[in-house]
Amino acid sequence: MDDFSEYVTARWPTLVRSAVLLGCTPPEAEDLVQTALERCLVRWNRVRAADDRDAYVHRVLVNCFRSSRRRRWHGERPSEVLPEHADVDPTAGIDETDAVMRALDGLPDDQRTAVVLRYYAHLTELQMATVLGVAAGTVKSRLSRAVKALAQDPHLAELRDPR
C-alpha cells in the first residue's frame, strides 16, 4: 500500500494534466485520475509487476477517459458546497492555453491522445504503443500527422506570429 501511495503522490500532477490535455476540465480530470487510480489500486500487484508502471497507468487513464466520453450526458452535477477559489490572476497565459486547447480540439482523438502521451507524459513510442494497443509504426504515423496538423493550425500560428 505504501508503494501505491508514493506512486500517487509522485505522479498525481502529471496524470491530472494528462487528463486535462486529453479534453477534461480540471475538476473532471481529477475525477478521471481518481477513477483510474482506483482501478489500479484494486490490481496494484499487477501494476507493480508491469514492465512500465507509467505506461500501464496511462493506459488505464486513457481507457477511463474513452469510457467517460461514451456516456450521453456530460452536464452539470449538483453539489452542496461550491469549491473555494484562490485569488490568483487567471488571465496570465489564457490566450496561449486557449490556442493550444483549440489546436488539440481540432485533432482526431487518436492523434490528440498520441500528442498528449508523447509530448506531455513523455512516454516513448514503445510505451505509447503498449498504452494504445497499436504497433509502434502506427504511433509514429499518428504523431507525424498530428505534428503536421499542429504546424498548420491557425490558432497556434497566432502565437508564433502575433501581429
Side-chain angles (χ1 to χ4, degrees):
M1 184 69 104
D2 292 329
D3 189 30
F4 177 76
S5 298
E6 290 172 13
Y7 181 83
V8 170
T9 301
R11 301 300 291 160
W12 179 264
T14 301
L15 291 169
V16 170
R17 187 67 183 146
S18 292
V20 168
L21 292 172
L22 286 172
C24 295
T25 64
E28 287 174 337
E30 290 179 357
D31 290 345
L32 181 70
V33 170
Q34 184 157 351
T35 299
L37 290 173
E38 285 175 14
R39 291 183 183 178
C40 290
L41 176 61
V42 172
R43 300 196 190 317
W44 187 244
N45 287 335
R46 188 180 297 175
V47 176
R48 187 181 359 218
D51 292 335
D52 188 341
R53 286 184 193 173
D54 288 335
Y56 191 106
V57 173
H58 273 88
R59 182 176 189 146
V60 173
L61 179 71
V62 169
N63 288 341
C64 287
F65 172 74
R66 288 179 178 163
S67 293
S68 72
R69 293 301 189 230
R70 284 189 202 113
R71 296 185 188 122
R72 290 185 185 172
W73 186 69
H74 298 286
E76 296 177 7
R77 295 186 182 135
S79 174
E80 283 186 39
V81 180
L82 296 176
E84 294 293 325
H85 295 286
D87 293 327
V88 177
D89 182 15
T91 60
I94 287 181
D95 290 339
E96 188 173 309
T97 300
D98 182 58
V100 170
M101 293 307 291
R102 285 176 186 246
L104 288 173
D105 283 342
L107 293 176
D109 289 341
D110 59 341
Q111 291 178 16
R112 180 180 182 149
T113 302
V115 168
V116 170
L117 292 177
R118 180 69 180 119
Y119 297 108
Y120 181 73
H122 303 291
L123 297 183
T124 65
E125 290 171 353
L126 185 58
Q127 289 173 318
M128 291 172 56
T130 302
V131 169
L132 299 173
V134 297
T138 303
V139 168
K140 290 178 184 180
S141 67
R142 286 180 184 176
L143 281 172
S144 175
R145 288 184 188 122
V147 168
K148 182 178 179 182
L150 291 172
Q152 297 172 350
D153 191 279
H155 301 103
L156 296 179
E158 295 170 6
L159 292 177
R160 289 187 295 270
D161 186 29
R163 292 184 187 180

